[in-house]
Amino acid sequence: MLADFLLKYWKILVPIGVILAIGALFIPNIVISKIVEFTGFAILAVNAYVLGYKMAVAEAEKQIKAEMEKLAKQDIRYKFAQERVMKNLKK
């Protein structure tokens, strides 16, 4: 649920994280500036993790599809397996 929210609004959350991380330099109170800075970097880190995971999953699906298509050309048994794999990847 959090990942879906982050994937939907990451273009808004990344600038907010940067503004918080950099804006903390201009807050004179040390404790509050550390809290704001930590919050900004936390937002950036979580966004980076979710976006990296999304890209890795997409790349893995692409590699699996390519490999199954190559095997399906060699043997008819792999053609049926390819159809099942593609159906399960879309879920």
Side-chain angles (χ1 to χ4, degrees), residues 2 6 41-51:
L2 177 63
L6 290 174
F41 282 122
I43 290 171
L44 290 174
V46 170
N47 274 319
Y49 177 78
V50 170
L51 292 174

Side-chain angles (χ1 to χ4, degrees), residues 2 6 19 26 28-29 40-42 47-48 51 67 72 80 82-83:
L2 177 63
L6 290 174
I19 290 169
F26 302 107
N29 189 338
F41 282 122
N47 274 319
L51 292 174
E67 191 65 29
F80 299 117
Q82 176 195 10
E83 292 170 0

Side-chain angles (χ1 to χ4, degrees), residues 17 20-22 24-25 30-46:
L20 287 174
I22 294 174
L25 298 172
I30 294 173
V31 175
I32 294 174
S33 70
K34 292 295 180 188
I35 292 170
V36 171
E37 180 182 8
F38 176 76
T39 304
F41 282 122
I43 290 171
L44 290 174
V46 170

Side-chain angles (χ1 to χ4, degrees), residues 12-79:
I12 297 168
L13 292 172
V14 169
I16 289 172
V18 170
I19 290 169
L20 287 174
I22 294 174
L25 298 172
F26 302 107
I27 298 175
N29 189 338
I30 294 173
V31 175
I32 294 174
S33 70
K34 292 295 180 188
I35 292 170
V36 171
E37 180 182 8
F38 176 76
T39 304
F41 282 122
I43 290 171
L44 290 174
V46 170
N47 274 319
Y49 177 78
V50 170
L51 292 174
Y53 180 78
K54 176 187 169 197
M55 290 175 60
V57 168
E59 184 65 27
E61 286 178 354
K62 187 171 74 171
Q63 293 293 331
I64 290 170
K65 287 179 185 179
E67 191 65 29
M68 288 304 292
E69 287 173 1
K70 187 169 48 171
L71 290 172
K73 290 178 183 177
Q74 295 175 358
D75 194 349
I76 191 70
R77 292 176 291 172
Y78 291 113
K79 184 170 177 67

